[in-house]
Amino acid sequence: MTLDQLCINTVRALAMDAVQQADSGHPGTAMALAPLGYVLWTRHLVYNPANPDWPDRDRFVLSAGHACMFLYSLLYLTGYDLPLEEIKRFRQWGSRTPGHPEYGMTPGVEATTGPLGQGTGNAVGMAIAEAQLAALFNRPGHRVVDHCTYFLASDGDLMEGVSHEAASLAGHLKLGKLIGFYDDNHITIEGDTSLAYSDDAVKRFEGYGWQVQRVADGNDLEALDAAIRAAKAVTDRPSLIVVRTHIAWGSPNKQDTAEAHGAPLGADEVKLTKQNLGWPSLEPFYLPDEALAHWRRAGERGALLEADWTKRWHAYQTEHPALAAELERRRAGRLPEGWDADLPSFTRKDGATATRAASGKVLNAIAPKLPELVGGSADLAGSTITLLKGTGDFAAGRYAERNFHFGIREHGMGAVLNGLCYHQGFIPYGGTFLIFSEYMRPPIRLAALSHLRPIYVFTHDSIGLGEDGPTHQPIEQLAALRAIPNMTVIRPSDATEVVEAWRAAITHHGGPVALVLTRQKMQIIDRTKYAPAAGLHQGGYVLADAKSGEPAVVLIGTGSEVELVIGAHEQLAAEGVAARVVSMPCLEFFAKQPQAYRDAVLPPDVPRLAVEAGVPQPWYRWIGANGAMLGIEKFGASAPYQRIYQEYGLTVENVVKKAKQLLDG
Ligand SMILES: Cc1ncc(C[n+]2csc(CCOP(=O)(O)OP(=O)(O)O)c2C)c(N)n1
């Protein structure tokens, strides 16, 4: 067996053994892709196992996350801090080799993948990030940002809609340093792909404007090598390399069968496969010394590559110190000094203002000082008010511009935002109507899981959007978003809270933030009379209290419903009923406050009434057993919004009535 073959079979053996030992996992795809991994990781990919975070490394995203033993094997073999012990503990509690790749858990894993198609979208975001940083920071004679983004997609990745959206956008943007591999193995879980799939992937990607090549035999190292070279040489469009492989290659009885997809081969078949491959030992996790040594040499190549880059980086630092410092700042995620100096302040003199409009003003006030703040919307910039003034449209050849046009591709937008976060150097935002958060829920969930921090600008946040009717009126979306662990949902009540909401979003780390904003105009709360909007950072705060300071009832509102609650408070006061008004723009922030603070805002013995134009589900924790909720438990309606509010009982009168009912017990 040649050394090449021995090294390739090492990946196959590790994948078989790890899945067998775990009695769970996906061996077949890793076995089929081993030659591709070998060619890519020994000849092309730029990485340094000793420094997985080296900024100018190539990115590799395993979009087919179920084939993670492929990636774990390569990481171990090339010398990342992932010892063989961890491979042996594949899929076990506390191991660094979880069932699908998880960002932050395993060095060298660039993205959390597994939900098919997401990684492909993430890779597009990473390539966008590279293109922008290169356009902003490279200078003649100094190419300090210059890396490729590779991804590996399976049949499932290409069937999923999100990959279509992302690939279409990537082709349009002519992202020349994006290179994808399509593992064309004709097998999915239910059997042959012909059961459900007869796309011509080549034509499809050509139609998107990609360069597409075919490699007829996934074991042909020179053909793989030539295709990667050709892909790298094409710099004016992304590349897809369609590689015909055979799942579980080398397995006498399981090759080319769906059985090899998601279950161990079985001890007997592992043995037969090893014999068939001419593997020198039947001992599990056996590794020939010469193969490991060869893989490690490939990894060591990375130290030289990084050293070369570091030399170039130092030259850049000398010649362009300010640029170098700025790039370092952005990569580290440090906000610039005084980033918030120009945050606007709103008063009642500004007149009634939709919170989406206030958001547009805040965004434009902070953007000049925050170049890392980039984004756009899914074709709703005018409605979400997410356009930045003073910068142009991000487009092919205009990669330094900051207004992104994601097209009508919410799902793709979410995945691309995640890619920008994974890459580092950005605070990306994406806007659409709150109702269409439904179309981007999978990447929102993954952002939360992976501790990424995109900002979502979700406008038209309730029945308050009016005439567009129930298809566009969110009812359960606030609850659905709040149900995601590590998600932060902020629904400011007026322009002054919008300022604080953006401040919170920009300074927040480790998870996504959704800003939920109105289409309709909202009175600006008179902060000379009511408590300051800075209370938003505690999630909920007392806006106005009973004169006595001892309320008989607490009225809680979020967003546009705070206006109703304030109205009810005034009316109740006139009738001599002691009520407190609490603005609760962010349940997640409030939940994080010490018990003493929460009790001070919501005294345990005082009955509470919460008012929000959405399903009551998230509120039961906060209103308690004796509380009440004025929400909506059916779909909306098409009419001017004032009429819908009235018909749905979301009125000052009804809040007053409910409050009294509560008091009457
Ligand atoms: C969004 C999503 N749906 C379903 C699954 C479950 N799943 C895992 S792999 C797979 C398909 C397997 O076929 P393919 O993508 O061709 O991978 P291969 O069998 O070649 O490894 C499915 C449906 C998933 N991971 N993500």
Side-chain angles (χ1 to χ4, degrees), residues 519-541:
R519 169 180 186 256
Q520 74 274 28
K521 290 185 172 178
M522 304 305 312
Q523 292 300 332
I524 294 179
I525 295 169
D526 183 356
R527 299 290 169 174
T528 60
K529 183 168 161 196
Y530 295 100
L536 174 137
H537 300 281
Q538 273 75 53
Y541 62 103

mmCIF file with all atom_site columns, all heavy atoms in Angstrom, residues 519-541:
data_model
loop_
_atom_site.group_PDB
_atom_site.id
_atom_site.type_symbol
_atom_site.label_atom_id
_atom_site.label_alt_id
_atom_site.label_comp_id
_atom_site.label_asym_id
_atom_site.label_entity_id
_atom_site.label_seq_id
_atom_site.pdbx_PDB_ins_code
_atom_site.Cartn_x
_atom_site.Cartn_y
_atom_site.Cartn_z
_atom_site.occupancy
_atom_site.B_iso_or_equiv
_atom_site.pdbx_formal_charge
_atom_site.auth_seq_id
_atom_site.auth_comp_id
_atom_site.auth_asym_id
_atom_site.auth_atom_id
_atom_site.pdbx_PDB_model_num
ATOM 1   N N   . ARG A 1 519 ? -44.597 48.939 13.362 1.00 0.00 ? 519 ARG A N   1
ATOM 2   C CA  . ARG A 1 519 ? -44.824 49.700 12.126 1.00 0.00 ? 519 ARG A CA  1
ATOM 3   C C   . ARG A 1 519 ? -45.523 51.015 12.476 1.00 0.00 ? 519 ARG A C   1
ATOM 4   O O   . ARG A 1 519 ? -45.215 52.055 11.923 1.00 0.00 ? 519 ARG A O   1
ATOM 5   C CB  . ARG A 1 519 ? -45.713 48.885 11.189 1.00 0.00 ? 519 ARG A CB  1
ATOM 6   C CG  . ARG A 1 519 ? -46.215 49.695 10.015 1.00 0.00 ? 519 ARG A CG  1
ATOM 7   C CD  . ARG A 1 519 ? -47.105 48.861 9.095  1.00 0.00 ? 519 ARG A CD  1
ATOM 8   N NE  . ARG A 1 519 ? -47.449 49.632 7.918  1.00 0.00 ? 519 ARG A NE  1
ATOM 9   C CZ  . ARG A 1 519 ? -48.632 50.212 7.696  1.00 0.00 ? 519 ARG A CZ  1
ATOM 10  N NH1 . ARG A 1 519 ? -49.608 50.089 8.582  1.00 0.00 ? 519 ARG A NH1 1
ATOM 11  N NH2 . ARG A 1 519 ? -48.850 50.890 6.599  1.00 0.00 ? 519 ARG A NH2 1
ATOM 12  N N   . GLN A 1 520 ? -46.495 50.895 13.426 1.00 0.00 ? 520 GLN A N   1
ATOM 13  C CA  . GLN A 1 520 ? -47.327 52.065 13.745 1.00 0.00 ? 520 GLN A CA  1
ATOM 14  C C   . GLN A 1 520 ? -46.586 53.021 14.672 1.00 0.00 ? 520 GLN A C   1
ATOM 15  O O   . GLN A 1 520 ? -45.678 52.628 15.401 1.00 0.00 ? 520 GLN A O   1
ATOM 16  C CB  . GLN A 1 520 ? -48.663 51.618 14.369 1.00 0.00 ? 520 GLN A CB  1
ATOM 17  C CG  . GLN A 1 520 ? -48.627 51.113 15.798 1.00 0.00 ? 520 GLN A CG  1
ATOM 18  C CD  . GLN A 1 520 ? -48.292 49.628 15.918 1.00 0.00 ? 520 GLN A CD  1
ATOM 19  O OE1 . GLN A 1 520 ? -47.609 49.054 15.084 1.00 0.00 ? 520 GLN A OE1 1
ATOM 20  N NE2 . GLN A 1 520 ? -48.749 49.010 17.001 1.00 0.00 ? 520 GLN A NE2 1
ATOM 21  N N   . LYS A 1 521 ? -47.038 54.271 14.597 1.00 0.00 ? 521 LYS A N   1
ATOM 22  C CA  . LYS A 1 521 ? -46.382 55.281 15.424 1.00 0.00 ? 521 LYS A CA  1
ATOM 23  C C   . LYS A 1 521 ? -46.733 55.091 16.893 1.00 0.00 ? 521 LYS A C   1
ATOM 24  O O   . LYS A 1 521 ? -47.848 54.702 17.220 1.00 0.00 ? 521 LYS A O   1
ATOM 25  C CB  . LYS A 1 521 ? -46.817 56.675 14.976 1.00 0.00 ? 521 LYS A CB  1
ATOM 26  C CG  . LYS A 1 521 ? -46.251 57.032 13.612 1.00 0.00 ? 521 LYS A CG  1
ATOM 27  C CD  . LYS A 1 521 ? -46.585 58.450 13.237 1.00 0.00 ? 521 LYS A CD  1
ATOM 28  C CE  . LYS A 1 521 ? -45.816 58.784 11.959 1.00 0.00 ? 521 LYS A CE  1
ATOM 29  N NZ  . LYS A 1 521 ? -46.107 60.119 11.478 1.00 0.00 ? 521 LYS A NZ  1
ATOM 30  N N   . MET A 1 522 ? -45.796 55.388 17.748 1.00 0.00 ? 522 MET A N   1
ATOM 31  C CA  . MET A 1 522 ? -46.010 55.296 19.201 1.00 0.00 ? 522 MET A CA  1
ATOM 32  C C   . MET A 1 522 ? -45.680 56.656 19.813 1.00 0.00 ? 522 MET A C   1
ATOM 33  O O   . MET A 1 522 ? -44.687 57.270 19.444 1.00 0.00 ? 522 MET A O   1
ATOM 34  C CB  . MET A 1 522 ? -45.066 54.252 19.834 1.00 0.00 ? 522 MET A CB  1
ATOM 35  C CG  . MET A 1 522 ? -45.141 52.854 19.271 1.00 0.00 ? 522 MET A CG  1
ATOM 36  S SD  . MET A 1 522 ? -46.788 52.150 19.295 1.00 0.00 ? 522 MET A SD  1
ATOM 37  C CE  . MET A 1 522 ? -47.300 52.493 20.957 1.00 0.00 ? 522 MET A CE  1
ATOM 38  N N   . GLN A 1 523 ? -46.522 57.063 20.770 1.00 0.00 ? 523 GLN A N   1
ATOM 39  C CA  . GLN A 1 523 ? -46.191 58.276 21.528 1.00 0.00 ? 523 GLN A CA  1
ATOM 40  C C   . GLN A 1 523 ? -44.857 58.053 22.238 1.00 0.00 ? 523 GLN A C   1
ATOM 41  O O   . GLN A 1 523 ? -44.583 56.955 22.717 1.00 0.00 ? 523 GLN A O   1
ATOM 42  C CB  . GLN A 1 523 ? -47.269 58.557 22.586 1.00 0.00 ? 523 GLN A CB  1
ATOM 43  C CG  . GLN A 1 523 ? -48.618 58.963 22.022 1.00 0.00 ? 523 GLN A CG  1
ATOM 44  C CD  . GLN A 1 523 ? -48.537 60.237 21.186 1.00 0.00 ? 523 GLN A CD  1
ATOM 45  O OE1 . GLN A 1 523 ? -47.671 61.092 21.417 1.00 0.00 ? 523 GLN A OE1 1
ATOM 46  N NE2 . GLN A 1 523 ? -49.420 60.355 20.207 1.00 0.00 ? 523 GLN A NE2 1
ATOM 47  N N   . ILE A 1 524 ? -44.064 59.095 22.296 1.00 0.00 ? 524 ILE A N   1
ATOM 48  C CA  . ILE A 1 524 ? -42.827 58.973 23.064 1.00 0.00 ? 524 ILE A CA  1
ATOM 49  C C   . ILE A 1 524 ? -43.171 59.215 24.531 1.00 0.00 ? 524 ILE A C   1
ATOM 50  O O   . ILE A 1 524 ? -43.859 60.188 24.875 1.00 0.00 ? 524 ILE A O   1
ATOM 51  C CB  . ILE A 1 524 ? -41.762 59.958 22.542 1.00 0.00 ? 524 ILE A CB  1
ATOM 52  C CG1 . ILE A 1 524 ? -41.381 59.538 21.109 1.00 0.00 ? 524 ILE A CG1 1
ATOM 53  C CG2 . ILE A 1 524 ? -40.545 59.977 23.457 1.00 0.00 ? 524 ILE A CG2 1
ATOM 54  C CD1 . ILE A 1 524 ? -40.357 60.406 20.440 1.00 0.00 ? 524 ILE A CD1 1
ATOM 55  N N   . ILE A 1 525 ? -42.724 58.319 25.342 1.00 0.00 ? 525 ILE A N   1
ATOM 56  C CA  . ILE A 1 525 ? -43.060 58.410 26.771 1.00 0.00 ? 525 ILE A CA  1
ATOM 57  C C   . ILE A 1 525 ? -42.332 59.610 27.377 1.00 0.00 ? 525 ILE A C   1
ATOM 58  O O   . ILE A 1 525 ? -41.135 59.809 27.128 1.00 0.00 ? 525 ILE A O   1
ATOM 59  C CB  . ILE A 1 525 ? -42.672 57.087 27.485 1.00 0.00 ? 525 ILE A CB  1
ATOM 60  C CG1 . ILE A 1 525 ? -43.532 55.940 26.929 1.00 0.00 ? 525 ILE A CG1 1
ATOM 61  C CG2 . ILE A 1 525 ? -42.816 57.215 28.996 1.00 0.00 ? 525 ILE A CG2 1
ATOM 62  C CD1 . ILE A 1 525 ? -43.081 54.557 27.351 1.00 0.00 ? 525 ILE A CD1 1
ATOM 63  N N   . ASP A 1 526 ? -43.055 60.383 28.129 1.00 0.00 ? 526 ASP A N   1
ATOM 64  C CA  . ASP A 1 526 ? -42.481 61.589 28.738 1.00 0.00 ? 526 ASP A CA  1
ATOM 65  C C   . ASP A 1 526 ? -41.578 61.177 29.901 1.00 0.00 ? 526 ASP A C   1
ATOM 66  O O   . ASP A 1 526 ? -42.048 60.839 30.990 1.00 0.00 ? 526 ASP A O   1
ATOM 67  C CB  . ASP A 1 526 ? -43.625 62.483 29.235 1.00 0.00 ? 526 ASP A CB  1
ATOM 68  C CG  . ASP A 1 526 ? -43.086 63.793 29.813 1.00 0.00 ? 526 ASP A CG  1
ATOM 69  O OD1 . ASP A 1 526 ? -41.842 63.954 29.890 1.00 0.00 ? 526 ASP A OD1 1
ATOM 70  O OD2 . ASP A 1 526 ? -43.918 64.649 30.172 1.00 0.00 ? 526 ASP A OD2 1
ATOM 71  N N   . ARG A 1 527 ? -40.291 61.214 29.653 1.00 0.00 ? 527 ARG A N   1
ATOM 72  C CA  . ARG A 1 527 ? -39.349 60.717 30.668 1.00 0.00 ? 527 ARG A CA  1
ATOM 73  C C   . ARG A 1 527 ? -39.127 61.724 31.792 1.00 0.00 ? 527 ARG A C   1
ATOM 74  O O   . ARG A 1 527 ? -38.435 61.389 32.762 1.00 0.00 ? 527 ARG A O   1
ATOM 75  C CB  . ARG A 1 527 ? -38.030 60.328 30.003 1.00 0.00 ? 527 ARG A CB  1
ATOM 76  C CG  . ARG A 1 527 ? -38.166 59.218 28.964 1.00 0.00 ? 527 ARG A CG  1
ATOM 77  C CD  . ARG A 1 527 ? -38.482 57.872 29.605 1.00 0.00 ? 527 ARG A CD  1
ATOM 78  N NE  . ARG A 1 527 ? -38.856 56.882 28.593 1.00 0.00 ? 527 ARG A NE  1
ATOM 79  C CZ  . ARG A 1 527 ? -39.070 55.594 28.846 1.00 0.00 ? 527 ARG A CZ  1
ATOM 80  N NH1 . ARG A 1 527 ? -38.969 55.137 30.083 1.00 0.00 ? 527 ARG A NH1 1
ATOM 81  N NH2 . ARG A 1 527 ? -39.423 54.768 27.890 1.00 0.00 ? 527 ARG A NH2 1
ATOM 82  N N   . THR A 1 528 ? -39.688 62.912 31.659 1.00 0.00 ? 528 THR A N   1
ATOM 83  C CA  . THR A 1 528 ? -39.624 63.816 32.815 1.00 0.00 ? 528 THR A CA  1
ATOM 84  C C   . THR A 1 528 ? -40.676 63.396 33.840 1.00 0.00 ? 528 THR A C   1
ATOM 85  O O   . THR A 1 528 ? -40.584 63.698 35.019 1.00 0.00 ? 528 THR A O   1
ATOM 86  C CB  . THR A 1 528 ? -39.877 65.290 32.404 1.00 0.00 ? 528 THR A CB  1
ATOM 87  O OG1 . THR A 1 528 ? -41.180 65.380 31.812 1.00 0.00 ? 528 THR A OG1 1
ATOM 88  C CG2 . THR A 1 528 ? -38.834 65.765 31.415 1.00 0.00 ? 528 THR A CG2 1
ATOM 89  N N   . LYS A 1 529 ? -41.674 62.671 33.337 1.00 0.00 ? 529 LYS A N   1
ATOM 90  C CA  . LYS A 1 529 ? -42.760 62.235 34.218 1.00 0.00 ? 529 LYS A CA  1
ATOM 91  C C   . LYS A 1 529 ? -42.579 60.760 34.613 1.00 0.00 ? 529 LYS A C   1
ATOM 92  O O   . LYS A 1 529 ? -42.886 60.364 35.739 1.00 0.00 ? 529 LYS A O   1
ATOM 93  C CB  . LYS A 1 529 ? -44.071 62.432 33.461 1.00 0.00 ? 529 LYS A CB  1
ATOM 94  C CG  . LYS A 1 529 ? -45.317 62.127 34.199 1.00 0.00 ? 529 LYS A CG  1
ATOM 95  C CD  . LYS A 1 529 ? -46.518 62.662 33.403 1.00 0.00 ? 529 LYS A CD  1
ATOM 96  C CE  . LYS A 1 529 ? -47.794 61.997 33.849 1.00 0.00 ? 529 LYS A CE  1
ATOM 97  N NZ  . LYS A 1 529 ? -48.886 62.190 32.898 1.00 0.00 ? 529 LYS A NZ  1
ATOM 98  N N   . TYR A 1 530 ? -42.109 59.974 33.647 1.00 0.00 ? 530 TYR A N   1
ATOM 99  C CA  . TYR A 1 530 ? -41.940 58.531 33.890 1.00 0.00 ? 530 TYR A CA  1
ATOM 100 C C   . TYR A 1 530 ? -40.464 58.177 34.039 1.00 0.00 ? 530 TYR A C   1
ATOM 101 O O   . TYR A 1 530 ? -39.591 58.976 33.692 1.00 0.00 ? 530 TYR A O   1
ATOM 102 C CB  . TYR A 1 530 ? -42.568 57.749 32.733 1.00 0.00 ? 530 TYR A CB  1
ATOM 103 C CG  . TYR A 1 530 ? -44.070 57.931 32.654 1.00 0.00 ? 530 TYR A CG  1
ATOM 104 C CD1 . TYR A 1 530 ? -44.626 58.824 31.746 1.00 0.00 ? 530 TYR A CD1 1
ATOM 105 C CD2 . TYR A 1 530 ? -44.926 57.225 33.496 1.00 0.00 ? 530 TYR A CD2 1
ATOM 106 C CE1 . TYR A 1 530 ? -46.002 59.012 31.672 1.00 0.00 ? 530 TYR A CE1 1
ATOM 107 C CE2 . TYR A 1 530 ? -46.299 57.409 33.437 1.00 0.00 ? 530 TYR A CE2 1
ATOM 108 C CZ  . TYR A 1 530 ? -46.835 58.302 32.521 1.00 0.00 ? 530 TYR A CZ  1
ATOM 109 O OH  . TYR A 1 530 ? -48.190 58.479 32.464 1.00 0.00 ? 530 TYR A OH  1
ATOM 110 N N   . ALA A 1 531 ? -40.193 56.987 34.508 1.00 0.00 ? 531 ALA A N   1
ATOM 111 C CA  . ALA A 1 531 ? -38.809 56.574 34.793 1.00 0.00 ? 531 ALA A CA  1
ATOM 112 C C   . ALA A 1 531 ? -37.976 56.512 33.509 1.00 0.00 ? 531 ALA A C   1
ATOM 113 O O   . ALA A 1 531 ? -38.510 56.306 32.421 1.00 0.00 ? 531 ALA A O   1
ATOM 114 C CB  . ALA A 1 531 ? -38.825 55.203 35.466 1.00 0.00 ? 531 ALA A CB  1
ATOM 115 N N   . PRO A 1 532 ? -36.657 56.682 33.654 1.00 0.00 ? 532 PRO A N   1
ATOM 116 C CA  . PRO A 1 532 ? -35.795 56.690 32.470 1.00 0.00 ? 532 PRO A CA  1
ATOM 117 C C   . PRO A 1 532 ? -35.777 55.336 31.742 1.00 0.00 ? 532 PRO A C   1
ATOM 118 O O   . PRO A 1 532 ? -35.915 54.280 32.370 1.00 0.00 ? 532 PRO A O   1
ATOM 119 C CB  . PRO A 1 532 ? -34.400 57.000 33.028 1.00 0.00 ? 532 PRO A CB  1
ATOM 120 C CG  . PRO A 1 532 ? -34.559 57.296 34.458 1.00 0.00 ? 532 PRO A CG  1
ATOM 121 C CD  . PRO A 1 532 ? -35.927 56.923 34.898 1.00 0.00 ? 532 PRO A CD  1
ATOM 122 N N   . ALA A 1 533 ? -35.558 55.429 30.440 1.00 0.00 ? 533 ALA A N   1
ATOM 123 C CA  . ALA A 1 533 ? -35.571 54.231 29.599 1.00 0.00 ? 533 ALA A CA  1
ATOM 124 C C   . ALA A 1 533 ? -34.399 53.297 29.881 1.00 0.00 ? 533 ALA A C   1
ATOM 125 O O   . ALA A 1 533 ? -34.395 52.147 29.438 1.00 0.00 ? 533 ALA A O   1
ATOM 126 C CB  . ALA A 1 533 ? -35.565 54.632 28.127 1.00 0.00 ? 533 ALA A CB  1
ATOM 127 N N   . ALA A 1 534 ? -33.404 53.775 30.617 1.00 0.00 ? 534 ALA A N   1
ATOM 128 C CA  . ALA A 1 534 ? -32.251 52.928 30.936 1.00 0.00 ? 534 ALA A CA  1
ATOM 129 C C   . ALA A 1 534 ? -32.678 51.684 31.709 1.00 0.00 ? 534 ALA A C   1
ATOM 130 O O   . ALA A 1 534 ? -31.949 50.688 31.765 1.00 0.00 ? 534 ALA A O   1
ATOM 131 C CB  . ALA A 1 534 ? -31.220 53.715 31.737 1.00 0.00 ? 534 ALA A CB  1
ATOM 132 N N   . GLY A 1 535 ? -33.867 51.724 32.280 1.00 0.00 ? 535 GLY A N   1
ATOM 133 C CA  . GLY A 1 535 ? -34.397 50.549 32.973 1.00 0.00 ? 535 GLY A CA  1
ATOM 134 C C   . GLY A 1 535 ? -34.498 49.342 32.062 1.00 0.00 ? 535 GLY A C   1
ATOM 135 O O   . GLY A 1 535 ? -34.562 48.199 32.536 1.00 0.00 ? 535 GLY A O   1
ATOM 136 N N   . LEU A 1 536 ? -34.474 49.575 30.760 1.00 0.00 ? 536 LEU A N   1
ATOM 137 C CA  . LEU A 1 536 ? -34.536 48.463 29.798 1.00 0.00 ? 536 LEU A CA  1
ATOM 138 C C   . LEU A 1 536 ? -33.441 47.424 30.073 1.00 0.00 ? 536 LEU A C   1
ATOM 139 O O   . LEU A 1 536 ? -33.647 46.228 29.861 1.00 0.00 ? 536 LEU A O   1
ATOM 140 C CB  . LEU A 1 536 ? -34.403 49.019 28.380 1.00 0.00 ? 536 LEU A CB  1
ATOM 141 C CG  . LEU A 1 536 ? -34.310 47.996 27.245 1.00 0.00 ? 536 LEU A CG  1
ATOM 142 C CD1 . LEU A 1 536 ? -35.171 48.423 26.061 1.00 0.00 ? 536 LEU A CD1 1
ATOM 143 C CD2 . LEU A 1 536 ? -32.874 47.748 26.794 1.00 0.00 ? 536 LEU A CD2 1
ATOM 144 N N   . HIS A 1 537 ? -32.301 47.893 30.543 1.00 0.00 ? 537 HIS A N   1
ATOM 145 C CA  . HIS A 1 537 ? -31.180 46.961 30.724 1.00 0.00 ? 537 HIS A CA  1
ATOM 146 C C   . HIS A 1 537 ? -31.439 45.953 31.844 1.00 0.00 ? 537 HIS A C   1
ATOM 147 O O   . HIS A 1 537 ? -30.761 44.939 31.934 1.00 0.00 ? 537 HIS A O   1
ATOM 148 C CB  . HIS A 1 537 ? -29.884 47.743 30.942 1.00 0.00 ? 537 HIS A CB  1
ATOM 149 C CG  . HIS A 1 537 ? -29.572 48.623 29.770 1.00 0.00 ? 537 HIS A CG  1
ATOM 150 N ND1 . HIS A 1 537 ? -29.022 48.147 28.612 1.00 0.00 ? 537 HIS A ND1 1
ATOM 151 C CD2 . HIS A 1 537 ? -29.815 49.947 29.561 1.00 0.00 ? 537 HIS A CD2 1
ATOM 152 C CE1 . HIS A 1 537 ? -28.918 49.138 27.731 1.00 0.00 ? 537 HIS A CE1 1
ATOM 153 N NE2 . HIS A 1 537 ? -29.381 50.236 28.286 1.00 0.00 ? 537 HIS A NE2 1
ATOM 154 N N   . GLN A 1 538 ? -32.411 46.273 32.688 1.00 0.00 ? 538 GLN A N   1
ATOM 155 C CA  . GLN A 1 538 ? -32.822 45.279 33.702 1.00 0.00 ? 538 GLN A CA  1
ATOM 156 C C   . GLN A 1 538 ? -33.953 44.399 33.155 1.00 0.00 ? 538 GLN A C   1
ATOM 157 O O   . GLN A 1 538 ? -34.463 43.548 33.862 1.00 0.00 ? 538 GLN A O   1
ATOM 158 C CB  . GLN A 1 538 ? -33.300 45.968 34.973 1.00 0.00 ? 538 GLN A CB  1
ATOM 159 C CG  . GLN A 1 538 ? -32.189 46.308 35.975 1.00 0.00 ? 538 GLN A CG  1
ATOM 160 C CD  . GLN A 1 538 ? -31.379 47.486 35.524 1.00 0.00 ? 538 GLN A CD  1
ATOM 161 O OE1 . GLN A 1 538 ? -31.926 48.541 35.216 1.00 0.00 ? 538 GLN A OE1 1
ATOM 162 N NE2 . GLN A 1 538 ? -30.062 47.308 35.453 1.00 0.00 ? 538 GLN A NE2 1
ATOM 163 N N   . GLY A 1 539 ? -34.354 44.663 31.941 1.00 0.00 ? 539 GLY A N   1
ATOM 164 C CA  . GLY A 1 539 ? -35.402 43.845 31.319 1.00 0.00 ? 539 GLY A CA  1
ATOM 165 C C   . GLY A 1 539 ? -36.800 44.339 31.607 1.00 0.00 ? 539 GLY A C   1
ATOM 166 O O   . GLY A 1 539 ? -37.657 44.379 30.743 1.00 0.00 ? 539 GLY A O   1
ATOM 167 N N   . GLY A 1 540 ? -37.048 44.711 32.871 1.00 0.00 ? 540 GLY A N   1
ATOM 168 C CA  . GLY A 1 540 ? -38.340 45.251 33.266 1.00 0.00 ? 540 GLY A CA  1
ATOM 169 C C   . GLY A 1 540 ? -38.094 46.263 34.366 1.00 0.00 ? 540 GLY A C   1
ATOM 170 O O   . GLY A 1 540 ? -37.178 46.087 35.173 1.00 0.00 ? 540 GLY A O   1
ATOM 171 N N   . TYR A 1 541 ? -38.875 47.328 34.385 1.00 0.00 ? 541 TYR A N   1
ATOM 172 C CA  . TYR A 1 541 ? -38.658 48.371 35.396 1.00 0.00 ? 541 TYR A CA  1
ATOM 173 C C   . TYR A 1 541 ? -39.954 49.113 35.638 1.00 0.00 ? 541 TYR A C   1
ATOM 174 O O   . TYR A 1 541 ? -40.864 49.114 34.811 1.00 0.00 ? 541 TYR A O   1
ATOM 175 C CB  . TYR A 1 541 ? -37.540 49.327 34.953 1.00 0.00 ? 541 TYR A CB  1
ATOM 176 C CG  . TYR A 1 541 ? -37.828 50.093 33.670 1.00 0.00 ? 541 TYR A CG  1
ATOM 177 C CD1 . TYR A 1 541 ? -38.209 51.437 33.702 1.00 0.00 ? 541 TYR A CD1 1
ATOM 178 C CD2 . TYR A 1 541 ? -37.714 49.468 32.431 1.00 0.00 ? 541 TYR A CD2 1
ATOM 179 C CE1 . TYR A 1 541 ? -38.461 52.142 32.530 1.00 0.00 ? 541 TYR A CE1 1
ATOM 180 C CE2 . TYR A 1 541 ? -37.973 50.168 31.249 1.00 0.00 ? 541 TYR A CE2 1
ATOM 181 C CZ  . TYR A 1 541 ? -38.343 51.499 31.303 1.00 0.00 ? 541 TYR A CZ  1
ATOM 182 O OH  . TYR A 1 541 ? -38.601 52.186 30.143 1.00 0.00 ? 541 TYR A OH  1
#
